[in-house]
Every structure is written in structure tokens, then in C-alpha cells.
Amino acid sequence: MTNFAAPRKSLGQNFLQDPNIINKIVAGLGIKASDTVVEIGPGRGALTELIIGQAGHTHLIEFDRDLIEYWNQRAETINNLTVHGVDVMQFDLQDIIKTSDTKIKVIGNLPYNISSPVLFHLMHYAEFIEHQVVMLQKEVVERMASESGNKQYGRLSVMLQQRYQIENLFKVPPTAFFPPPKVDSAIARLTPLLDIPHPVSDQSDFEKIVKQAFSMRRKTLRNTLKGALGSEQIESLGINPSARAETLNVADFAALSNIYSEIKQTD
């Protein structure tokens, strides 16, 4: 295949074309010659061409059938390139992790319509990842890095900050893409925490409590957590049941989750 098909709107395809931005994104991953790098959605290869030249082995996860064909052809002549023609949400990264002697590095221009689900999917493999550098809608990156008390602070902020150090590296204007998207983009670097400062005893319980607490932002914890935790249980942690979710920090949510898990075990 020599000619690329037009970008598919259904797949949220916007291809990078600004060489300065491309170089900055790849530099953010800090690739070494011994690294195994996973690129999600390589598209036409703006980042890929640089990554292949720097990494020990590069794995591409691509869903577009035309692009899969193109990259499979390229992989026939590139020894350190493997193509996985699959939906990233259905892909088990352990298939790559078990072949690498070191922690993997992940990079990708994530489709904006599924960016949060992809980030949550990658969380399952955080202990095996050294860094993730991802391009997302600017507002999503701001939410990820937002602190409690901020209007952008929410479920995504808490879930990711409990597991990662999050850096909002830089903005990417629409003019850096073809076709130009209608929104601004930004680059985030997520580094899994080696020593988790606020551990949770059950990840699924943590997800439940955080999601429930933010389900009705204008209501108090007393109301949003009703059925999971009572006012006395919330107060026992030094948290005001009349507070709203956005005023709590990650430590508070971890404590709520852990007492919820403890109560479940004794019921």
C-alpha cells in the first residue's frame, strides 16, 4: 500500500504533521536503545519513524484495516517492529510485557472519544510500565492533573492520581494535525508510582466509591454514598459527610474505599 486512505472520522483520526511537535512528544518518553515501546494508534507513522530508530523493539497497536496492512508490509523489512491489528481495549499488554526484560514504555495519540476508557485499561498494567506519554484533548489533560477544589477535578483526576505522577507537558494546536481537530490538544506524561502513598485494599471498591461520589457533583457525600457508607462511617475518617466530592483529596477517597472494603468483609 503506497497511498493512505483519507482519515476516518468514525475512528477519530487526526494525523500529526508538525515535525517540531513530533520531536517533542517522542523526547518526552526518554527512549533508550534497550527499551520496548508500545505505540497505540500509530496512524501514518509520524511518531513511529522516530521511535523505531531509538527503541530496542517497537510494538504497534492499530485498529484501522488499511493502516494494519501498511504496517505489516513495513514490518517485513524492519526486525524490531511488531504489529498488532486489534482494538487496544481488547488487547492484553501481558503478551508484550512477558517478552520484555525491562518495564515497557507506552506512547500514543489516543482517540478523544475513548481516551478515558483507554487510560483506565492501561492502569491494569501500571506496575509493568515505566512511562506513558499520551496526546489527549487539552481539557482531559487538565482534568487528569487537576487538584481538589478545582472545578475540573473529578473521577478521572482521583483514579489516575492514586496510581500515577501526572505531568501536563505542553499544548498542541489544531494546526499540527491533518485534518485539524476542532479542539486543542495536550501531551501528558504518566509515571506509575513505585511506592503508592495512598494504597487501596480493593481496586474495584475504590472505583465504585469514587464513581458514586462524583455521580451527582452538587450533592453531599451523605447523599452520594448512601447505601455504601453512612454518615458515622464517613465522620470516623475525619471527613465531613456534608462535603462534596470535589473537596476531597486522593487520600480521603482511599480511606473511604478501604473502610467500605472492611465493612463488606464483615457483613
Side-chain angles (χ1 to χ4, degrees), residues 1 144 152 179 222:
M1 186 177 78
M144 288 163 55
Q152 292 145 319
R222 180 183 288 108

Side-chain angles (χ1 to χ4, degrees), residues 137-149:
Q137 189 171 334
K138 180 173 70 73
E139 287 75 14
V140 174
V141 174
E142 289 171 349
R143 278 164 43 206
M144 288 163 55
S146 181
E147 297 180 355
S148 61

Side-chain angles (χ1 to χ4, degrees), residues 18-30:
D18 186 317
N20 293 324
I21 296 291
I22 290 165
N23 283 317
K24 283 179 69 176
I25 294 170
V26 175
L29 199 57

